[in-house]
PDB file of all heavy atoms in Angstrom:
ATOM      1  N   ASP A 163     102.388  93.362  73.417  1.00  0.00           N
ATOM      2  CA  ASP A 163     102.484  94.154  74.695  1.00  0.00           C
ATOM      3  C   ASP A 163     101.980  95.542  74.581  1.00  0.00           C
ATOM      4  O   ASP A 163     102.145  96.282  75.700  1.00  0.00           O
ATOM      5  CB  ASP A 163     103.898  94.150  75.116  1.00  0.00           C
ATOM      6  CG  ASP A 163     104.330  92.786  75.953  1.00  0.00           C
ATOM      7  OD1 ASP A 163     103.495  92.011  75.976  1.00  0.00           O
ATOM      8  OD2 ASP A 163     105.399  92.734  76.391  1.00  0.00           O
ATOM      9  N   ARG A 164     101.182  95.856  73.603  1.00  0.00           N
ATOM     10  CA  ARG A 164     100.796  97.337  73.378  1.00  0.00           C
ATOM     11  C   ARG A 164      99.914  97.727  74.566  1.00  0.00           C
ATOM     12  O   ARG A 164      99.914  98.862  74.918  1.00  0.00           O
ATOM     13  CB  ARG A 164     100.153  97.541  72.068  1.00  0.00           C
ATOM     14  CG  ARG A 164      98.971  96.689  71.712  1.00  0.00           C
ATOM     15  CD  ARG A 164      98.652  96.853  70.289  1.00  0.00           C
ATOM     16  NE  ARG A 164      97.364  96.086  69.917  1.00  0.00           N
ATOM     17  CZ  ARG A 164      97.335  94.845  69.655  1.00  0.00           C
ATOM     18  NH1 ARG A 164      98.417  94.103  69.673  1.00  0.00           N
ATOM     19  NH2 ARG A 164      96.232  94.263  69.238  1.00  0.00           N
ATOM     20  N   GLU A 165      99.130  96.814  75.092  1.00  0.00           N
ATOM     21  CA  GLU A 165      98.203  97.323  76.087  1.00  0.00           C
ATOM     22  C   GLU A 165      98.960  97.522  77.520  1.00  0.00           C
ATOM     23  O   GLU A 165      98.686  98.430  78.237  1.00  0.00           O
ATOM     24  CB  GLU A 165      97.051  96.253  76.390  1.00  0.00           C
ATOM     25  CG  GLU A 165      96.078  96.128  75.325  1.00  0.00           C
ATOM     26  CD  GLU A 165      95.108  95.077  75.498  1.00  0.00           C
ATOM     27  OE1 GLU A 165      95.056  94.387  76.530  1.00  0.00           O
ATOM     28  OE2 GLU A 165      94.242  94.901  74.541  1.00  0.00           O
ATOM     29  N   ILE A 166      99.993  96.650  77.650  1.00  0.00           N
ATOM     30  CA  ILE A 166     100.841  96.813  78.904  1.00  0.00           C
ATOM     31  C   ILE A 166     101.756  98.013  78.674  1.00  0.00           C
ATOM     32  O   ILE A 166     101.800  98.795  79.719  1.00  0.00           O
ATOM     33  CB  ILE A 166     101.690  95.597  79.009  1.00  0.00           C
ATOM     34  CG1 ILE A 166     100.890  94.261  79.282  1.00  0.00           C
ATOM     35  CG2 ILE A 166     102.778  95.799  80.119  1.00  0.00           C
ATOM     36  CD1 ILE A 166     101.741  93.043  79.405  1.00  0.00           C
ATOM     37  N   ASP A 167     102.204  98.337  77.475  1.00  0.00           N
ATOM     38  CA  ASP A 167     103.044  99.457  77.399  1.00  0.00           C
ATOM     39  C   ASP A 167     102.186 100.755  77.407  1.00  0.00           C
ATOM     40  O   ASP A 167     102.769 101.769  77.821  1.00  0.00           O
ATOM     41  CB  ASP A 167     103.762  99.373  75.908  1.00  0.00           C
ATOM     42  CG  ASP A 167     104.855  98.420  75.886  1.00  0.00           C
ATOM     43  OD1 ASP A 167     105.312  97.938  76.995  1.00  0.00           O
ATOM     44  OD2 ASP A 167     105.232  97.974  74.742  1.00  0.00           O
ATOM     45  N   ALA A 168     100.994 100.641  77.162  1.00  0.00           N
ATOM     46  CA  ALA A 168     100.096 101.714  77.310  1.00  0.00           C
ATOM     47  C   ALA A 168      99.993 102.367  78.714  1.00  0.00           C
ATOM     48  O   ALA A 168      99.747 103.436  79.102  1.00  0.00           O
ATOM     49  CB  ALA A 168      98.695 101.480  76.727  1.00  0.00           C
ATOM     50  N   ILE A 169     100.294 101.280  79.571  1.00  0.00           N
ATOM     51  CA  ILE A 169     100.294 101.626  81.087  1.00  0.00           C
ATOM     52  C   ILE A 169     101.643 101.906  81.616  1.00  0.00           C
ATOM     53  O   ILE A 169     101.921 102.977  82.303  1.00  0.00           O
ATOM     54  CB  ILE A 169      99.765 100.411  81.960  1.00  0.00           C
ATOM     55  CG1 ILE A 169      98.349 100.066  81.473  1.00  0.00           C
ATOM     56  CG2 ILE A 169      99.818 100.713  83.403  1.00  0.00           C
ATOM     57  CD1 ILE A 169      97.661  98.800  82.069  1.00  0.00           C
ATOM     58  N   ASN A 170     102.618 101.092  81.238  1.00  0.00           N
ATOM     59  CA  ASN A 170     104.043 101.264  81.715  1.00  0.00           C
ATOM     60  C   ASN A 170     104.780 102.312  80.907  1.00  0.00           C
ATOM     61  O   ASN A 170     105.553 103.094  81.498  1.00  0.00           O
ATOM     62  CB  ASN A 170     104.774  99.974  81.625  1.00  0.00           C
ATOM     63  CG  ASN A 170     104.144  98.906  82.678  1.00  0.00           C
ATOM     64  OD1 ASN A 170     103.739  99.181  83.615  1.00  0.00           O
ATOM     65  ND2 ASN A 170     104.112  97.628  82.133  1.00  0.00           N
ATOM     66  N   GLU A 171     104.686 102.270  79.587  1.00  0.00           N
ATOM     67  CA  GLU A 171     105.598 103.120  78.777  1.00  0.00           C
ATOM     68  C   GLU A 171     104.722 103.819  77.630  1.00  0.00           C
ATOM     69  O   GLU A 171     104.852 103.372  76.468  1.00  0.00           O
ATOM     70  CB  GLU A 171     106.741 102.349  78.141  1.00  0.00           C
ATOM     71  CG  GLU A 171     107.626 101.871  79.246  1.00  0.00           C
ATOM     72  CD  GLU A 171     108.806 100.992  78.673  1.00  0.00           C
ATOM     73  OE1 GLU A 171     108.567  99.835  78.427  1.00  0.00           O
ATOM     74  OE2 GLU A 171     109.862 101.622  78.264  1.00  0.00           O
ATOM     75  N   PRO A 172     103.710 104.621  77.935  1.00  0.00           N
ATOM     76  CA  PRO A 172     102.789 105.073  77.002  1.00  0.00           C
ATOM     77  C   PRO A 172     103.501 105.885  75.826  1.00  0.00           C
ATOM     78  O   PRO A 172     102.846 106.082  74.742  1.00  0.00           O
ATOM     79  CB  PRO A 172     101.813 106.036  77.742  1.00  0.00           C
ATOM     80  CG  PRO A 172     102.644 106.435  79.012  1.00  0.00           C
ATOM     81  CD  PRO A 172     103.483 105.165  79.287  1.00  0.00           C
ATOM     82  N   TYR A 173     104.710 106.228  75.863  1.00  0.00           N
ATOM     83  CA  TYR A 173     105.368 106.927  74.880  1.00  0.00           C
ATOM     84  C   TYR A 173     106.016 106.101  73.796  1.00  0.00           C
ATOM     85  O   TYR A 173     106.532 106.595  72.859  1.00  0.00           O
ATOM     86  CB  TYR A 173     106.501 107.939  75.549  1.00  0.00           C
ATOM     87  CG  TYR A 173     107.456 107.101  76.376  1.00  0.00           C
ATOM     88  CD1 TYR A 173     108.571 106.477  75.842  1.00  0.00           C
ATOM     89  CD2 TYR A 173     107.235 106.911  77.774  1.00  0.00           C
ATOM     90  CE1 TYR A 173     109.460 105.730  76.548  1.00  0.00           C
ATOM     91  CE2 TYR A 173     108.054 106.216  78.534  1.00  0.00           C
ATOM     92  CZ  TYR A 173     109.296 105.665  78.001  1.00  0.00           C
ATOM     93  OH  TYR A 173     110.062 104.854  78.720  1.00  0.00           O
ATOM     94  N   ARG A 174     105.949 104.708  74.038  1.00  0.00           N
ATOM     95  CA  ARG A 174     106.544 103.891  73.095  1.00  0.00           C
ATOM     96  C   ARG A 174     105.724 104.003  71.688  1.00  0.00           C
ATOM     97  O   ARG A 174     104.738 104.372  71.782  1.00  0.00           O
ATOM     98  CB  ARG A 174     106.583 102.428  73.569  1.00  0.00           C
ATOM     99  CG  ARG A 174     107.648 102.202  74.640  1.00  0.00           C
ATOM    100  CD  ARG A 174     107.880 100.748  74.854  1.00  0.00           C
ATOM    101  NE  ARG A 174     108.512 100.109  73.623  1.00  0.00           N
ATOM    102  CZ  ARG A 174     109.624 100.333  73.106  1.00  0.00           C
ATOM    103  NH1 ARG A 174     110.335 101.032  73.817  1.00  0.00           N
ATOM    104  NH2 ARG A 174     110.037  99.650  71.989  1.00  0.00           N
ATOM    105  N   PRO A 175     106.541 103.706  70.635  1.00  0.00           N
ATOM    106  CA  PRO A 175     105.952 103.942  69.287  1.00  0.00           C
ATOM    107  C   PRO A 175     104.512 103.291  69.061  1.00  0.00           C
ATOM    108  O   PRO A 175     103.723 104.031  68.448  1.00  0.00           O
ATOM    109  CB  PRO A 175     106.966 103.183  68.466  1.00  0.00           C
ATOM    110  CG  PRO A 175     108.292 103.199  69.063  1.00  0.00           C
ATOM    111  CD  PRO A 175     107.865 103.084  70.556  1.00  0.00           C
ATOM    112  N   ILE A 176     104.247 102.133  69.571  1.00  0.00           N
ATOM    113  CA  ILE A 176     102.976 101.524  69.216  1.00  0.00           C
ATOM    114  C   ILE A 176     101.852 102.124  69.990  1.00  0.00           C
ATOM    115  O   ILE A 176     100.869 102.602  69.416  1.00  0.00           O
ATOM    116  CB  ILE A 176     102.918 100.016  69.223  1.00  0.00           C
ATOM    117  CG1 ILE A 176     103.913  99.378  68.376  1.00  0.00           C
ATOM    118  CG2 ILE A 176     101.593  99.402  69.109  1.00  0.00           C
ATOM    119  CD1 ILE A 176     104.068  97.906  68.362  1.00  0.00           C
ATOM    120  N   PRO A 177     101.922 102.184  71.326  1.00  0.00           N
ATOM    121  CA  PRO A 177     100.760 102.749  72.167  1.00  0.00           C
ATOM    122  C   PRO A 177     100.581 104.285  71.950  1.00  0.00           C
ATOM    123  O   PRO A 177      99.517 104.765  71.909  1.00  0.00           O
ATOM    124  CB  PRO A 177     101.252 102.466  73.585  1.00  0.00           C
ATOM    125  CG  PRO A 177     102.638 102.230  73.559  1.00  0.00           C
ATOM    126  CD  PRO A 177     102.918 101.577  72.268  1.00  0.00           C
ATOM    127  N   SER A 178     101.729 104.956  71.449  1.00  0.00           N
ATOM    128  CA  SER A 178     101.682 106.420  71.271  1.00  0.00           C
ATOM    129  C   SER A 178     100.972 106.711  69.841  1.00  0.00           C
ATOM    130  O   SER A 178     100.797 107.804  69.567  1.00  0.00           O
ATOM    131  CB  SER A 178     103.033 107.057  71.337  1.00  0.00           C
ATOM    132  OG  SER A 178     103.861 106.707  70.366  1.00  0.00           O
ATOM    133  N   GLY A 179     100.938 105.594  68.999  1.00  0.00           N
ATOM    134  CA  GLY A 179     100.490 105.872  67.687  1.00  0.00           C
ATOM    135  C   GLY A 179     101.496 106.444  66.595  1.00  0.00           C
ATOM    136  O   GLY A 179     101.149 106.829  65.570  1.00  0.00           O
ATOM    137  N   ALA A 180     102.663 106.431  67.003  1.00  0.00           N
ATOM    138  CA  ALA A 180     103.751 106.895  66.085  1.00  0.00           C
ATOM    139  C   ALA A 180     103.990 106.018  64.946  1.00  0.00           C
ATOM    140  O   ALA A 180     104.524 106.554  63.911  1.00  0.00           O
ATOM    141  CB  ALA A 180     105.046 107.005  66.963  1.00  0.00           C
TER     142      ALA A 180
END
Side-chain angles (χ1 to χ4, degrees):
D163 273 3
R164 58 192 184 275
E165 293 180 358
I166 297 177
D167 287 341
I169 299 171
N170 295 319
E171 299 175 272
Y173 55 86
R174 285 199 60 75
I176 295 175
S178 68

